[in-house]
Amino acid sequence: YVSQGAAAAAVAIALAAAIRDGGGAAVGLDWGDCSTGARWLPRARSPLWEPQVADFFPALAGWGSVPDDEAAQATAPAEEAPPRRAPFAPLARESDITAERFAELAALGQPFIVEDAGRDLPLLGLSCEEYARRWPNGSMRAEYLEGEEWGGEWGFFRDEAEGENKVPLDNGLWWHAPRPARPRRGIEQHMAAEADAAEGGAAPRLTAPYIWHVKDQEPLSTKRSVQRVWRAPYFAARSPLAAWEASESFELWFSLPGGGTMAHGDAYGEVTVSLQLRGVKRWRMMMVPPSPIGIDTSDGGVYSSGRWAPEYEARVGPGEALVFPPGYLHETFVRPADNPDGGCTVATTFQMAAPAASRYLHAWLPRLAQTNLQTEERLISSEWSVLALAGLPRQAAAALRRRQTPEARRGPLPEEAPFSPEEHAEAVLAAADADGS
């Protein structure tokens, strides 16, 4: 057991050590024209100091046709906040990625794409209709559901235990019949608006997606049935801890052409991977912008702040995976032009317990603490408490995982995927290492 006071003390010690030791070392990344150094807490800086986004992330070095004035972003009223609209920065695209390269990018929090993530995966290419046929008793969340759509032939129902609107997988409609998303303020900022304008549409339209929470909202028998054919990609399968976390945290996203999600940040304190299994999806992403009152990171919340200015746009096709750090804002769109067959698209999203986004969390903790990473995930009192547990045996490390991971709280850690003392030590060192030495 570690109290929040002990965790806070560990954070203070780590920050003080980073400042005392200077933390000015640069971490060079071999990234062609995008190569730069990520700089850490300089000597004599306040613990609340943060770097400039364009100085920190290698892909954003020299990026943008408008000034990246984060001071103005943070202090200006929402309607006057200078946007950072510019040609999108390039994302690294990796194949046959090594464990060292993956850890390097993950620690920095640099989003990137793994082009061969889907190799040898049984679910690659499986149609939405086939999911309904194999698991007819499953139910999934109907995103952006309108109240008048409840019931009827769609079979929508309210899951009071989860506080969500659900639809059965076997209703025979969702994989081919578009369902308009509930209107949301600021939706004209979504990339769907550009597609609609190109087609002569007067207003942006977004088809609502579905998310199947296999990880924590299905009976254990259904979860185990899906797990038998769901397989972690090769870069996650290298580590027993990462493979177990992936298998226990995955969910499946289904979207028709014209579908997508509004800009939001996920409340996960770990690296997230979205692996496209069928069809093509586009992503736009940005670091949480500075704000004196924090940013609403729920779906579409950032639109009303006037600070939605994506840094990247990524086209992710079948077998490719997009990897991004905790809290990174993103919106998605299944562009009809990218999916000319009109079929339902499938992606699976999961978290990786290792490697951690350690340098990213060190650099951006003050900003991230104002998002749902703190209000929902308790980032400071949970993720950072690992600093106070260095050197504890496997049993204590396993207890930490059970307490910190909602899915893990539902059952014991499997013996075939132990959290070894070596992996625990590596996680602790990565979290506490401010300068990469």
Side-chain angles (χ1 to χ4, degrees):
Y1 174 80
V2 177
S3 69
Q4 290 193 13
V11 176
I13 292 169
L15 288 172
I19 298 169
R20 179 198 65 212
D21 296 338
V27 180
L29 294 180
D30 182 10
W31 204 335
D33 293 337
C34 294
S35 179
T36 189
R39 298 193 177 276
W40 297 96
L41 294 172
R43 193 181 305 275
R45 292 278 192 180
S46 162
L48 299 181
W49 177 86
E50 293 180 340
Q52 289 282 309
V53 168
D55 293 337
F56 182 84
F57 293 102
L60 298 181
W63 167 79
S65 60
V66 295
D68 180 12
D69 188 348
E70 293 214 342
Q73 283 260 349
T75 58
E79 63 275 10
E80 299 175 11
R84 288 185 289 159
R85 303 278 182 191
F88 298 110
L91 277 180
R93 301 184 71 92
E94 305 280 341
S95 293
D96 198 24
I97 189 168
T98 65
E100 293 75 18
R101 176 63 169 167
F102 193 101
E104 179 183 43
L105 295 174
L108 191 60
Q110 174 63 62
F112 63 99
I113 293 171
V114 181
E115 296 181 317
D116 57 350
R119 66 190 190 196
D120 302 323
L121 298 187
L123 292 180
L124 187 64
L126 195 70
S127 70
C128 295
E129 186 175 2
E130 184 64 15
Y131 282 90
R133 188 191 69 79
R134 292 193 186 188
W135 297 285
N137 296 324
S139 61
M140 53 192 177
R141 188 170 78 209
E143 292 283 77
Y144 315 138
L145 179 66
E146 291 282 20
E148 60 268 21
E149 293 177 326
W150 287 23
E153 59 181 344
W154 283 83
F156 293 118
F157 65 95
R158 181 71 176 175
D159 184 339
E160 296 296 344
E162 299 292 344
E164 296 176 351
N165 302 317
K166 298 283 189 70
V167 61
L169 261 70
D170 67 347
N171 78 351
L173 291 171
W174 63 269
W175 63 79
H176 63 85
R179 177 176 60 86
R182 180 180 69 247
R184 186 70 177 257
R185 180 183 176 189
I187 187 63
E188 67 277 358
Q189 299 177 53
H190 191 278
M191 65 180 115
E194 298 173 12
D196 288 333
E199 297 173 5
R205 298 165 294 174
L206 192 64
T207 299
Y210 302 89
I211 175 173
W212 188 18
H213 273 257
V214 180
K215 60 185 179 183
D216 57 1
Q217 295 183 13
E218 287 291 343
L220 186 59
S221 59
T222 301
K223 178 178 178 177
R224 293 290 183 252
S225 174
V226 182
Q227 283 178 321
R228 280 192 285 272
V229 293
W230 190 97
R231 187 181 303 163
Y234 71 91
F235 53 80
R238 292 174 176 140
S239 161
L241 173 61
W244 169 78
E245 176 81 354
S247 179
E248 288 295 315
S249 67
F250 77 86
E251 57 200 30
L252 290 153
W253 285 83
F254 306 102
S255 299
L256 289 170
T261 60
M262 290 177 272
H264 66 281
D266 296 330
Y268 299 119
E270 299 170 321
V271 169
T272 294
V273 180
S274 180
L275 199 164
Q276 195 70 21
L277 295 170
R278 183 181 177 89
V280 176
K281 182 183 290 182
R282 287 186 182 261
W283 294 67
R284 287 185 180 175
M285 314 179 73
M286 71 175 294
M287 179 62 195
V288 176
S291 170
I293 59 172
I295 293 291
D296 180 1
T297 51
S298 64
D299 283 36
V302 69
Y303 297 149
S304 60
S305 74
R307 291 176 167 84
W308 173 242
E311 299 148 355
Y312 311 101
E313 179 176 309
R315 182 185 186 276
V316 183
E320 297 182 334
L322 178 63
V323 184
F324 56 96
Y328 219 79
L329 296 180
H330 55 278
E331 69 175 19
T332 66
F333 186 50
V334 178
R335 198 175 191 175
D338 293 335
N339 298 273
D341 64 354
C344 178
T345 66
V346 187
T348 184
T349 297
F350 59 92
Q351 281 67 55
M352 290 183 61
S358 53
R359 299 180 182 178
Y360 168 87
L361 292 174
H362 270 285
W364 304 107
L365 183 63
R367 186 177 305 190
L368 296 174
Q370 296 187 77
T371 71
N372 57 356
L373 279 173
Q374 174 60 23
T375 57
E376 297 180 30
E377 184 76 354
R378 297 293 186 264
L379 177 71
I380 295 176
S381 58
S382 62
E383 295 299 320
W384 282 80
S385 65
V386 72
L387 294 172
L389 295 177
L392 293 187
R394 170 186 165 189
Q395 291 80 0
L400 171 67
R401 294 304 308 161
R402 290 191 184 97
R403 188 176 69 254
Q404 289 185 348
T405 308
E407 307 89 80
R409 293 193 192 106
R410 304 173 189 273
L413 285 170
E415 286 301 319
E416 63 271 18
F419 194 143
S420 72
E422 292 79 14
E423 287 184 303
H424 181 236
E426 290 174 2
V428 171
L429 289 173
D433 184 11
D435 65 2
S437 62

